[in-house]
Structure formats: C-alpha cells, structure tokens
Amino acid sequence: MGNSNRSILIILFFVLIGIIFIIRLFVLQVVDPSYKYSAESNTQRKLTEYPSRGLIYDRFGKLLVSNQAVYDIMIVPREVAPFDTTDFCNVLNISRPELDRAYEEMRRNMRSRRISSFKPSVFIKQVPADQYALFQEKQYKFKGFFGQRRTVRKYEYPHAAHVFGYVAEVNEATMQRDPYYALGDYTGISGIENTYERFLRGRKGARYVMVDVHGREKGSVRGGRIDTTAVAGKNITLTLDIDLQAYGEELMRNKTGSIVAIEPSTGEILAMVSSPGYDPSLLIGRERSRNFPVLSRDSLSPLLNRAIMSAYPPGSTFKMVMGLIGLQENVLRTNTPYSCSGAYHARGLSVGCRHHRSPVDLIPSLAVSCNTYYCIVFRNVLDNPAHGSPKAGIEKWREYLNNFGFGKRLGSDFFNESRGFVPGSGYYDRIYDGRWSSLTVISLAIGQGEILTTPIQMANMTAAIANKGHFYTPHVVKDIENDTIPSRFEERHHTGIDPIHFDPIIEGMEQAIWSETGSTARIARIPGISISGKTGTAQNPHGENHSIFVAFAPKENPQIAIAVYVENAGYGSTFAAPIASLMVEKYLNREIHANRKWLETRMLNIDLINATKH
Amino acid sequence: MGNLFRKYAKGDRAIWLVIIILSIASLLSVYSATGFLAYKYQGGNTSYYMFKQMGSLAFGIGVILFVHRIPYVWIARFAYIGLYFSVFLLLITLFSGVNLNNASRWLTIPGIGITFQPSEMAKLAIIIYVAKMLAQHQKEDEPAKEAFWPSMVHVVLVAGLIFTENLSTSLLVVAVTVAMMFVGRVPFKYLAGTGLVAIGLVALSIVIAPKVSFLPRAKTWSSRVEQFLNPENAEKSSTYQSDQSKIAIASGGIFGKGPGNSVQRNFIPHPYSDFIFAIIAEEYGFFGAFIIIICYLLLLGRIGTMVRASNRTFPAFMAFGLGLMLVSQAFVNMGVAVGIFPVTGQPLPLVSLGTTSVLFTCVAFGLILGVSRHNMEQADLARQSSKKEAVDEASLQTNEISA
C-alpha cells in the first residue's frame, strides 16, 4: 500500500535526527573539552589571597607609606537572623540610611543573581580595625555576618599626597585591559601608586576549596597542593626628602602654588609640593567616598598637582635661557652693554622696565632683571640674518627651548604631566595671518605672552643651568626592591648650549641675590651658602601677578635646584624668593639660621588664600 | 517465566524489550536524580521517588497488558467520546488548573486528589481520532481529501487549548497529526498550507504575546527562543539550564561516571524530568545515551514494519501516530539536553519521573502493542488457514487418489 512508502520517509527523517543526536553527543562527550572544564568550576571555588602592597620609603629610608588592616563585613544572606539594627549601626559607626542602602544593594544583587544567598559577599566595605574590634565583640548577635581582612594604605606623614596618588578598586576598563585584576581588587589610580602599580601590587595567591551545591566550603582541593601563596609587593624608595617635603608644604600653607626641588646631578626630585594639598589619609578606603567629592568640588582644586599640571608664563626667570640662547647663537656678547631708559621702545611699542642703573651688560642685566636688555637679545635671536626670517629664527629659538624640556612632557614618573606651551612660527602665522615680526612677539623675550611652563619644567631648567648644560629627567623613584628603575632616568639630556656660556649666567644669578647694588632678591641670602637665583613676576590675566623664584645652591657642586611658584602673590622677591631660600637652607643645613627665623615665621604665617577671599 | 510472559504479553517482542530497557533506565536515573527532592520534601527518604516511579511503571505495565488486549475496533468506536472528554478536561484545566512553574497544566481529580495533565490524554485522543478519519476516507488510487477538514478542525481545537499553557506540546500535536495525514495521503498542498499557517501563528504569538495579558507564558517562550538563537547575548543566568546540562553530558565522557555518581544533578533544575537525559549521559556516558536513542529508533522502526504488514488502515495509522508522538517527544527532550532545541519541558517518555506521563505513555504502548498483537494473530490465522487449506487440499487429493 502506498501509505507505507510515505511512512518510511518520516521514519527516515527521525533516524536522521537520531544520528544528529548521536553525533552531537559524541562531540560533547568525547571530542570537545570546553564543557568539561566548566564542570570543575562547579565544585571548586577559588579564594583569593590578597598580597600586601609594597612599602614606600623616602631617600633617607624613612617609612612613608605602609599598610593597615581593615575589615570587609561579609554577609551570608541565608544565615541572617533578625538583629538589632541600631546596635549594628553603632558598632560599625554607620548611619541607618547607609545600612538601608547596603541592604537594598544586596537585595538587588541577589535578584540579578550576582550574589548567592548561600555564599558570603561583601556587605560593608573597609571597616577600620578598631571599629571592627567593637563589632567582633558583638558579632554573636549578628548571625550571618563576619569580617574579612583586607589591607589598605597607611600614611605615616600627612604630606606628599600628590606624589603618592591613591589606591582604589579597579574599574571595568582596567579589568578588561589587564586580566590580572578581578572584581574587588585594588589598584593605584594616580601618582606613583599608579606608575609603579606593577611592582607595588605583588602577586595574588589562590586557595582552592571544594564547595557543595550551596557554595559552602567543604575542605581544600587536593590537600592544598595546588594553592599558591600571595607574594607581597616590592618596596619602593623615593628620591623625596620627607622633611623637606613637609617643610615645603608648611611654607606653602594658605597659599596656592607649587615647589619643585631637584638634585641637579641626578634629576632626583627632593620635594614636590602642590598647594593647597590634602592629607593622603583622606583618600584611604571608605573615607575616600566621603572626602573625594569634597576635594574635587573645592574651588582651589586641592587634587590638582600644580607642580606638573599647571602651566604659567615663566616671567623673568626665563631670562637665563634667553641669554644662553643669545650667547650660543653668537648674537650676544657678555660685555656688550645696552642702555635702558626704564622701558624698551620700538616703533610705537614699549615694554616697561624698572629703574635701575644703565647701561648694563649680561651679568648685571640678570641681577637687575632688565627687560630692555632681553628684548634686544630676543630680537637679535629672531632677526639673526643667519636664519633668514623671524619665522626660521623662532623655530631655532623653539628648538633650544625644547632641549631645555619646555613645550613637552619631561617624562617623569607622572603620567599626567602637562606639556606647557612653546609657540612656534605656525602658531603665530595662524593668529597673525602670517604677518608678524620679532616685535609682534616681543613679550616672549621676558617670559610673558603665549609661553607657558610648569613648575617642574622650571626646576629642571634651573638644574640644567646648575649642571652647565645638561640634565637628567626629573623623577621620584630612587630604588625598586630587587628591580631596576626605568632606564630613561639615567640618560643625560643635553641642552645644546656650550658649558662655557653658563658661567656669566650663573654669575648673573649670583649677583641677583648677592650684588651690593640693585640686586632683586637680597632676601634670598643664606648665611654660608652660595645660592644663585632669579626672581620672576608673571603677569596673569586672572588677577594679581604670580610670584616666581628659581634658585640653586651651592654654586660649586650644586646639590639642589628649586622652582617656587606662589600664585597671585605679587613680585617674585616677596614670597617665592624667601620660600625658595628657606627650602634650600633647610635642605643643605637641615636648620634655619637664627638670623632668618623671622623670615621663616613670616612665611609660615602669611595667609594669602583667606586674605584675598575677604 | 518465559511461558508466563508469552501468555500475557502479546505483540512485538522488540517493543516489549524497549519498554523494559526504558523502565530500568528510568528507575536508575530517577533514583539518582531525586536526591535533592527527597531531602526537600520527603525528609531524606532517598528511595521515595524511585519507589513511586516503580509503582507508576508497574501500574503502567499493567495498563499495557490490559490495553493491548482490547480489539482496535472498540478503540475506534470510542474515538469521539475520548476526544470530546479530553477537550472538556482541557477546558476545565484552563480555567481552574493548578499552577506549576507559571503553567497551569494540571488538573486535580475531585475526590481522589490526584493531579494529572489532561493534555497527555488529549494527545492520545486526537491521534486516535485523526487515524479514524484517515481510515474512513481511504480510497483506492485517490487522495483522502475529505479527511483533512474534520481532522484539522479538531487538531486546531486541541492544539489551541493546549497552546496557551504548553506551546511545545501543542506544536508536537500539530506536527504529528500533519505527518499522519501525509502518510494518509491527504493532498500535500493542504498540509503545506497548514504548516505555513502554523509557523506564521507561532512566530506571531511569540512576537506579540509578551504584550498581551492572556498569554502568561509568552515571555518565557520568547526569551527561550532568544537565548537559543543568540546564546552569546543571553545573560549568564538565563542560559544556566542548558549550560549545566551540557556540562553534565560533557563530563560523562564515553563510559560515564557510573550509576549514582552524577554531580550535575545538583546544578540542573528538574534533573528527574526535563533534563533526565543529561543525567543518563553523565552517569552512563556516550554508550548509555546511545542505547536510549537506539531504543526509541527501534520502536519507530518496529512500528514501520507493523504499518507495512498491516492490511487494515485504522490500526496502522493509529500505531504510526502514537509511535511518532512518543519518539518526537523523546527527541525534543534529548534535543533540549544536548542544546539542539530551545529549553522546553517535554518529558522523556517512560523515563522521566511523573505518573501522568508514564500512564499515558503506557496507554500508547498498549495501543501500539495491541495493533501488533492483532497483526500477529491475523498472520497466525492466515498461516493456519493456509496450512488447513493445504491439508484440506492434500486430503482432497488423497481422497481423489483413494477414490
């Protein structure tokens, strides 16, 4: 009968499906191993052992940053019995809304199956050890809760927050970039905690335990033979002198600005102050969520590391570089005097200067900080017939500046360094539509106008002058335990200026402080220390001038080069010079001479922030 | 024993073998897979569900022994009554059924307090009814056009009643009856049209159903289909069932972990019913799973031979339809376990834990074996009569000779 042929067709169809099943089974059970691995993960759980982060020391071996234990309060939702919530809040020092929020979050995570009601998960993060002790006493009252130890940073000094940066939980992006990280791990977010994260973090360990279907631990896997122990992070020694750093922060208290001090022979940063700053302890663990918004909303931006991120016009402190370029370009002779009538006049344009003896040659030009002198030098550099045009001239000028580290990132340990700005011919062609001359951009001669430099760049320039022509990239890392610091910090960079040209410049910087007549920074004199320096007063469209001072000492064998910026504080000699000289004195003598105690007291007590506010 | 068996259990031996193998597989795997249930509901009496299943199976085999003795003519006579009774029960279930997993498929029989799924009964009734319709309209050398409409109306009625609560069963009903009509020489264009309409309806309901309140399970359907089509996009928790099932199958390897050694039974939801095939594959490996597949294919193969041997159309269509239903149910269950089909709750006939399922599966087996018994008896009769004729002829001849 014809029916049966049709039925065979359908039966064959089923046989085909049966064969597909058999093939599929064979693939799943014999060929493809991927689901077999998943099978193991069902019955085993990996418990992470967190390493402690590497310690941080200063250049003299003083401990700066260590670790402290905090406790995450864990919850096993199923085991929680009704408890006294007021008591719970009190022992953990949290508010009732905080508890409610934590509870709501837990409920949400349970619904989305991110956490299990059988397995412990974090309920309250990072309870301080002393608070945890209170909790532990009453833990028997809170069924389903227990503490898990984590370590967070502990800062031995309330200083150098910008250098250290801070540590926080990893975010999604970091986890995707680096498979080492898992949810809940800590990582350095900024400063050297970020830069040297790879060394500081150590290596996590793992403990494997058998779990039952509810996730309860049932002993170790294979007797713990596959477990790994956590390896503590490597300790790091910084180039900072914490006493100098602390002193700098004290001096800058109630002022906005920055100090960078460098050891010229190595490029090691001795102090890096950005003011106003903050106590690094404010950003530890739980405190951070409370304090970070406050700090980031503060109108004085305490989180901003001004030393590397704020760019200002260098003002008169730029004159040394200008003079050096003139000498190297052979358009300036040390002994050629230029006369100054209190301003530089040319074709209807004038650049003001102050009254001083006239005429002056190179060395006294620095001592009295003559603007006219450097306007002439600048124009000679740009209009040098050897280059053909001011456009080529400014490019040459710019090349020298780049060699000094201006207009680019120096490449220190900090990823968020600002470049500053050194304008070139392209820039002026754009804004002046190609029609400009050396006179148009004359402000550059005295470090004003479009040029912007950061405090670290200025300190680096000072170090290059102290070294008579070369510098090492400024850095804060001195030593990494059982490892080497980045090789770029050992490379010598040349400014392209012959060492011989530095002698008159350094002489001029010395005269700026020590000359009997007309020196601009007498206040920076330190008994017994041959300090050389230069004031700067950067005009600033937003208000009062910035007070700037750069200096190095001693003249022979310089050990410290320093740049000080005090925002909106007026002349360089008023604030920046005294602060810089106190820093130098502190570093070299470890104490302030009795004759200068009055100056120290005055600098420590002056309050520029609140004074300008009211 | 052998004689006893031969005396009471008639019909195809191979089908009986399939029943016995599947029953044993059922007892072993149900015992292993119900540990969790036993602790949760039976106070740790781990053998409770095995004995319950054993009781169901024993009762079921009794049902087979009884049913396969009923002459098919009687069954054809009850086709209408069975069908309308089922429809009546389905209607009651729809409005007052017990809600289990958000699907009201269960009906409590008043007085006895036993819950059962009327859809199981309706499946059998509609197959018998369609077989009857097809048989009635078979003609020599002419397509059975007239069988289409009455069959189709009732198929749509039954499938429609099951549809809202149990999409996969209603689809199976349509697919199996259409296959029967194909074998019953209903013109192909009718069937192709039905197929297209069915596909259209299902697609439409999956798309718009989540927005309509009277289809409470629509969200489950569309999310399961979605998961199946895009497993990468699905949330981890939503592919959980099929992932765990695949882990079970994969960890079984060639020879399996051995009876009672399943680990995945603790991770798979409903390891004793919807995912029992995964547990078999885990404990008895590729070979165990292979044997189960072969059992169902063997069943279908034997029914094929029966259909060919049968000289009556109704029993042939009925046996074929029932066999097809059992095997497709089995294949859907296996397909879900190995990840070929989207997740759905078809039991593995005779193996999954569940009294209703076992009972009506056994009724189906009984009916199939009844057809087989009838065919064999007919064949015996024919042999005997031909022998008798031969003897008669021979005696005639001898008579002639002697005469």
Side-chain angles (χ1 to χ4, degrees):
Chain A
M1 114 190 200
N3 302 343
S4 56
N5 287 336
R6 289 183 167 209
S7 67
I8 282 173
L9 207 64
I10 287 178
I11 289 171
L12 281 180
F13 172 71
F14 273 84
V15 170
L16 192 72
I17 297 182
I19 290 168
I20 292 174
F21 281 176
I22 289 166
I23 292 169
R24 174 80 179 168
L25 276 174
F26 192 75
V27 169
L28 266 177
Q29 300 196 282
V30 183
V31 185
D32 179 9
S34 59
Y35 280 96
K36 287 198 183 99
Y37 293 129
S38 320
E40 284 212 331
S41 71
N42 258 343
T43 52
Q44 293 179 8
R45 190 186 307 147
K46 185 179 160 188
L47 297 178
T48 308
E49 304 266 287
Y50 294 101
S52 55
R53 274 180 94 77
L55 307 179
I56 300 176
Y57 297 96
D58 91 336
R59 67 187 290 116
F60 300 119
K62 284 187 185 158
L63 182 63
L64 304 180
V65 185
S66 57
N67 299 302
Q68 58 182 323
V70 291
Y71 294 83
D72 285 347
I73 302 298
M74 310 294 284
I75 185 172
V76 183
R78 254 186 101 85
E79 292 171 9
V80 175
F83 59 93
D84 181 347
T85 48
T86 316
D87 201 18
F88 188 83
C89 288
N90 287 343
V91 295
L92 288 176
N93 192 23
I94 56 172
S95 66
R96 186 61 206 262
E98 277 176 283
L99 174 66
D100 291 344
R101 227 174 301 133
Y103 182 74
E104 270 312 305
E105 195 186 330
M106 181 201 82
R107 289 289 297 271
R108 227 180 6 258
N109 286 339
M110 264 170 70
R111 268 198 301 275
S112 59
R113 298 206 186 186
R114 251 181 300 178
I115 64 171
S116 152
S117 67
F118 290 96
K119 295 183 203 169
S121 50
V122 180
F123 187 65
I124 306 263
K125 276 180 192 166
Q126 300 176 342
V127 174
D130 48 346
Q131 200 75 49
Y132 177 68
L134 291 180
F135 172 80
Q136 230 177 354
E137 248 172 55
K138 295 191 172 177
Q139 198 181 338
Y140 71 95
K141 289 187 187 171
F142 310 122
K143 290 211 164 49
F145 292 95
F146 67 94
Q148 187 189 50
R149 192 172 183 276
R150 295 292 303 262
T151 59
V152 294
R153 280 312 205 187
K154 177 166 189 257
Y155 297 96
E156 308 291 337
Y157 298 86
H159 303 297
H162 293 108
V163 175
F164 301 144
Y166 64 96
V167 176
E169 262 182 44
V170 286
N171 58 19
E172 201 69 43
T174 314
M175 276 190 281
Q176 264 165 21
R177 208 170 42 239
D178 187 344
Y180 171 84
Y181 295 107
L183 195 68
D185 284 1
Y186 296 145
T187 185
I189 302 292
S190 65
I192 59 157
E193 294 276 20
N194 174 280
T195 310
Y196 299 105
E197 165 71 10
R198 208 160 49 82
F199 305 101
L200 289 169
R201 72 185 179 193
R203 207 175 60 232
K204 285 185 286 186
R207 204 155 58 81
Y208 294 89
V209 290
M210 302 288 287
V211 290
D212 69 4
V213 64
H214 299 312
R216 289 178 293 228
E217 291 181 27
K218 296 286 175 199
S220 62
V221 174
R222 281 180 243 166
R225 265 169 293 152
I226 53 171
D227 296 359
T228 52
T229 48
V231 179
K234 291 178 175 173
N235 298 342
I236 285 185
T237 303
L238 297 184
T239 62
L240 289 188
D241 170 359
I242 192 63
D243 295 329
L244 185 68
Q245 176 77 25
Y247 189 59
E249 289 185 26
E250 300 275 300
L251 289 172
M252 289 298 286
R253 195 192 299 139
N254 292 325
K255 303 160 194 78
T256 39
S258 172
I259 302 175
V260 179
I262 296 175
E263 183 178 75
S265 59
T266 55
E268 292 177 358
I269 296 173
L270 302 170
M272 179 186 268
V273 178
S274 176
S275 181
Y278 59 91
D279 181 346
S281 304
L282 292 177
L283 297 188
I284 296 174
R286 260 206 310 175
E287 298 295 307
R288 192 180 56 254
S289 55
R290 215 173 299 167
N291 293 322
F292 196 89
V294 178
L295 289 173
S296 67
R297 274 198 305 268
D298 192 319
S299 62
L300 295 167
S301 326
L303 291 173
L304 179 75
N305 187 354
R306 290 172 159 80
I308 55 167
M309 293 169 81
S310 283
Y312 314 85
S316 297
T317 52
F318 184 64
K319 285 174 180 162
M320 285 84 80
V321 173
M322 207 54 253
L324 287 165
I325 295 170
L327 291 171
Q328 184 70 26
E329 284 286 286
N330 219 4
V331 295
L332 173 65
R333 277 170 212 285
T334 313
N335 300 326
T336 312
Y338 297 117
S339 66
C340 171
S341 60
Y344 174 75
H345 300 285
R347 274 191 264 158
L349 184 143
S350 75
V351 176
C353 189
R354 53 196 205 92
H355 289 283
H356 55 80
R357 63 192 160 94
S358 176
V360 287
D361 59 12
L362 181 58
I363 292 167
S365 79
L366 282 171
V368 302
S369 196
C370 176
N371 287 348
T372 309
Y373 188 91
Y374 289 93
C375 288
I376 295 165
V377 175
F378 179 72
R379 292 196 69 188
N380 288 347
V381 169
L382 259 61
D383 297 335
N384 186 353
H387 302 308
S389 76
K391 292 179 189 181
I394 202 168
E395 285 305 315
K396 187 70 195 170
W397 173 81
R398 194 174 175 215
E399 194 187 310
Y400 281 113
L401 263 59
N402 285 339
N403 287 342
F404 269 97
F406 295 119
K408 62 176 189 185
R409 294 198 181 95
L410 284 170
S412 70
D413 322 65
F414 302 96
F415 69 92
N416 47 356
E417 252 184 75
S418 160
R419 284 193 167 89
F421 182 65
V422 176
S425 60
Y427 176 79
Y428 287 118
D429 281 349
R430 257 198 317 283
I431 60 170
Y432 294 117
D433 203 14
R435 286 188 298 274
W436 58 275
S437 68
S438 57
L439 202 56
T440 323
V441 297
I442 193 75
S443 312
L444 295 177
I446 53 167
Q448 293 290 157
E450 291 80 1
I451 185 169
L452 296 172
T453 61
T454 60
I456 195 175
Q457 285 173 338
M458 292 311 288
N460 183 57
M461 172 202 81
T462 313
I465 293 170
N467 288 339
K468 299 189 179 177
H470 70 267
F471 64 87
Y472 294 91
T473 303
H475 55 278
V476 291
V477 65
K478 196 172 169 65
D479 182 51
I480 301 173
E481 188 186 12
N482 298 329
D483 221 308
T484 52
I485 66 167
S487 60
R488 67 176 192 275
F489 297 147
E490 281 152 16
E491 266 171 48
R492 198 167 152 147
H493 301 277
H494 290 274
T495 56
I497 310 272
D498 297 337
I500 190 162
H501 297 316
F502 285 88
D503 292 334
I505 297 295
I506 291 171
E507 180 68 25
M509 289 172 76
E510 196 178 15
Q511 294 293 313
I513 295 171
W514 297 97
S515 163
E516 284 309 317
T517 51
S519 72
T520 48
R522 305 167 65 97
I523 199 158
R525 291 180 185 179
I526 308 166
I529 293 177
S530 54
I531 179 172
S532 314
K534 178 77 193 78
T535 54
T537 308
Q539 285 167 12
N540 151 34
H542 309 296
E544 190 78 20
N545 293 338
H546 297 321
S547 171
I548 313 172
F549 195 73
V550 299
F552 68 91
K555 190 180 170 191
E556 282 77 35
N557 181 28
Q559 288 172 38
I560 178 169
I562 190 167
V564 177
Y565 272 75
V566 187
E567 289 180 18
N568 312 115
Y571 294 113
S573 52
T574 338
F575 291 102
I579 290 174
S581 69
L582 288 167
M583 287 289 283
V584 170
E585 187 174 7
K586 180 81 176 177
Y587 181 66
L588 294 177
N589 289 351
R590 308 311 289 180
E591 61 177 6
I592 302 302
H593 195 276
N595 288 351
R596 280 162 54 83
K597 280 286 181 193
W598 66 272
L599 186 66
E600 182 186 38
T601 317
R602 206 175 97 187
M603 286 302 131
L604 287 173
N605 292 336
I606 276 174
D607 183 346
L608 290 174
I609 291 175
N610 297 308
T612 52
K613 267 186 182 170
H614 298 299
Chain B
M1 180 72 195
N3 283 333
L4 201 71
F5 185 82
R6 231 164 273 158
K7 190 176 168 191
Y8 292 105
K10 309 276 182 185
D12 194 291
R13 287 296 169 76
I15 296 181
W16 276 108
L17 184 67
V18 167
I19 292 171
I20 287 162
I21 291 175
L22 292 180
S23 301
I24 292 168
S26 173
L27 289 178
L28 290 174
S29 47
V30 162
Y31 181 54
S32 168
T34 52
F36 177 67
L37 270 193
Y39 274 100
K40 201 165 177 187
Y41 299 112
Q42 304 302 334
N45 181 2
T46 48
S47 52
Y48 174 87
Y49 288 97
M50 185 194 68
F51 281 118
K52 193 179 169 200
Q53 180 75 348
M54 195 186 258
S56 304
L57 285 168
F59 184 67
I61 286 171
V63 168
I64 298 177
L65 290 173
F66 173 72
V67 169
H68 92 298
R69 293 226 159 213
I70 303 172
Y72 66 81
V73 192
W74 284 74
I75 290 157
R77 229 169 264 168
F78 282 108
Y80 277 103
I81 300 170
L83 180 60
Y84 286 112
F85 184 60
S86 306
V87 168
F88 172 68
L89 289 182
L90 282 176
L91 280 170
I92 296 180
T93 318
L94 201 55
F95 293 109
S96 67
V98 176
N99 200 319
L100 202 77
N101 301 336
N102 201 18
S104 36
R105 298 170 187 171
W106 298 78
L107 187 68
T108 311
I109 300 172
I112 321 173
I114 296 173
T115 55
F116 90 114
Q117 290 177 286
S119 58
E120 292 285 339
M121 186 178 170
K123 277 193 295 200
L124 298 187
I126 188 69
I127 286 166
I128 294 167
Y129 174 79
V130 170
K132 186 180 162 118
M133 281 299 109
L134 288 171
Q136 270 177 6
H137 295 99
Q138 289 299 309
K139 288 168 216 156
E140 280 297 321
D141 303 324
E142 206 183 312
K145 232 189 271 181
E146 297 85 348
F148 178 73
W149 283 112
S151 303
M152 213 57 227
V153 166
H154 289 93
V155 167
V156 168
L157 179 67
V158 169
L161 285 173
I162 305 173
F163 173 72
T164 55
E165 302 299 342
N166 193 342
L167 179 66
S168 60
T169 300
S170 88
L171 286 178
L172 274 181
V173 165
V174 174
V176 168
T177 49
V178 165
M180 286 171 74
M181 287 185 236
F182 172 71
V183 175
R185 292 192 299 171
V186 170
F188 191 70
K189 56 180 179 188
Y190 288 14
L191 302 179
T194 312
L196 285 179
V197 169
I199 290 169
L201 276 177
V202 169
L204 189 72
S205 56
I206 286 178
V207 172
I208 66 160
K211 295 163 187 124
V212 189
S213 60
F214 61 83
L215 290 174
R217 284 186 54 80
K219 268 193 193 122
T220 317
W221 301 340
S222 38
S223 68
R224 279 177 176 173
V225 172
E226 175 71 16
Q227 283 158 31
F228 180 70
L229 296 178
N230 304 313
E232 300 83 21
N233 297 353
E235 268 182 53
K236 190 129 181 85
S237 58
S238 60
T239 58
Y240 178 80
Q241 297 188 359
S242 41
D243 285 347
Q244 294 298 342
S245 167
K246 282 181 209 158
I247 291 173
I249 292 169
S251 58
I254 300 181
F255 300 106
K257 291 180 182 167
N261 291 336
S262 167
V263 171
Q264 286 301 104
R265 60 186 172 200
N266 298 320
F267 296 95
I268 303 175
H270 311 302
Y272 41 82
S273 62
D274 297 358
F275 284 100
I276 198 154
F277 187 66
I279 303 299
I280 292 173
E282 187 186 1
E283 293 194 345
Y284 304 97
F286 177 70
F287 283 112
F290 184 80
I291 287 171
I292 300 293
I293 296 176
I294 290 300
C295 275
Y296 288 105
L297 285 179
L298 180 63
L299 171 66
L300 202 62
R302 293 308 297 175
I303 291 172
T305 2
M306 269 164 55
V307 169
R308 286 169 75 84
S310 179
N311 47 9
R312 304 288 305 186
T313 49
F314 170 70
F317 288 139
M318 180 178 72
F320 181 72
L322 294 171
L324 220 52
M325 178 56 86
L326 290 178
V327 177
S328 14
Q329 231 173 293
F331 278 15
V332 169
N333 177 290
M334 295 173 188
V336 169
V338 299
I340 289 177
F341 290 129
V343 175
T344 186
Q346 286 298 326
L348 192 59
L350 219 53
V351 180
S352 288
L353 175 69
T355 311
T356 321
S357 165
V358 166
L359 208 63
F360 285 98
T361 303
C362 284
V363 172
F365 269 114
L367 293 170
I368 293 166
L369 281 168
V371 174
S372 163
R373 175 191 60 83
H374 176 82
N375 284 356
M376 283 161 85
E377 281 171 6
Q378 287 295 310
D380 275 354
L381 229 65
R383 219 175 304 134
Q384 271 169 18
S385 65
S386 66
K387 210 188 269 172
K388 205 174 163 197
E389 270 169 29
V391 171
D392 286 353
E393 244 169 62
S395 63
L396 211 70
Q397 278 171 1
T398 41
N399 286 349
E400 274 173 12
I401 293 164
S402 62

